[in-house]
Structure formats: C-alpha cells, structure tokens
Amino acid sequence: MQTYLEKRQPAQKMARFYRMAVMPNLFGEWTLYREWGRIGQGGQVRMDWFEDENKAVAALVTLEASKRQRGYWVEPQQLAMFG
C-alpha cells in the first residue's frame, strides 16, 4: 500500500510532498517508509518498523488523515490510476 500527497500554495511559494508506503523487510517485519520535502528535491526519510502488516497500514491511514487535515491532498493523476 502506498500514497502520495501534495500541498501547494503558490501565493506563499509552497510546493511540498509527502510519500508513504508499507513494505515487507528482510526480517519478516513490515516497514512504513515516509519521505517528505519540497517538490522537485530530495526529501527527508523516516522508516518505522511494525510486527505485522495490519499495524503498519493502520499507521499509514492515521498519518494520511493527519496530513489531509493540514491541507495535503492526493495528486489527481494518482486518482486516475485507481479509478
């Protein structure tokens, strides 16, 4: 499972992204991979480990809801992929 969010405010010259993905790792655990920063540049990265996939997906959903409350939205091109 993965998601890509953006926040753009041209008046403030703001163009930010937030990328999240849930992936298995080599040790049988699940990783919530997060990357964020300015669009067009490399961002900061954080990885959190979970015992099972359900906990990692729940963390992703919680984070996505939090980011949407702060003005991030799903990129329209991504919506077309799932429609």
Side-chain angles (χ1 to χ4, degrees), residues 12-78:
Q12 297 175 345
K13 297 183 181 177
M14 179 190 298
R16 314 268 310 156
F17 75 93
Y18 205 95
R19 177 180 297 131
M20 295 177 278
V22 172
M23 303 177 283
N25 65 21
L26 296 174
F27 305 107
E29 299 172 326
W30 288 85
T31 303
L32 173 57
Y33 172 87
R34 298 190 268 169
E35 182 181 3
W36 65 93
R38 291 182 59 88
I39 294 174
Q41 298 181 1
Q44 295 184 11
V45 174
R46 177 175 175 166
M47 289 185 260
D48 298 313
W49 292 274
F50 296 88
E51 294 176 5
D52 62 30
E53 183 180 12
N54 293 332
K55 290 180 183 177
V57 170
L60 183 146
V61 169
T62 302
L63 264 169
E64 183 177 356
S66 172
K67 293 297 173 189
R68 285 176 180 256
Q69 287 179 346
R70 298 190 71 195
Y72 284 81
W73 48 276
V74 176
E75 183 182 18
Q77 296 160 353
Q78 183 178 3

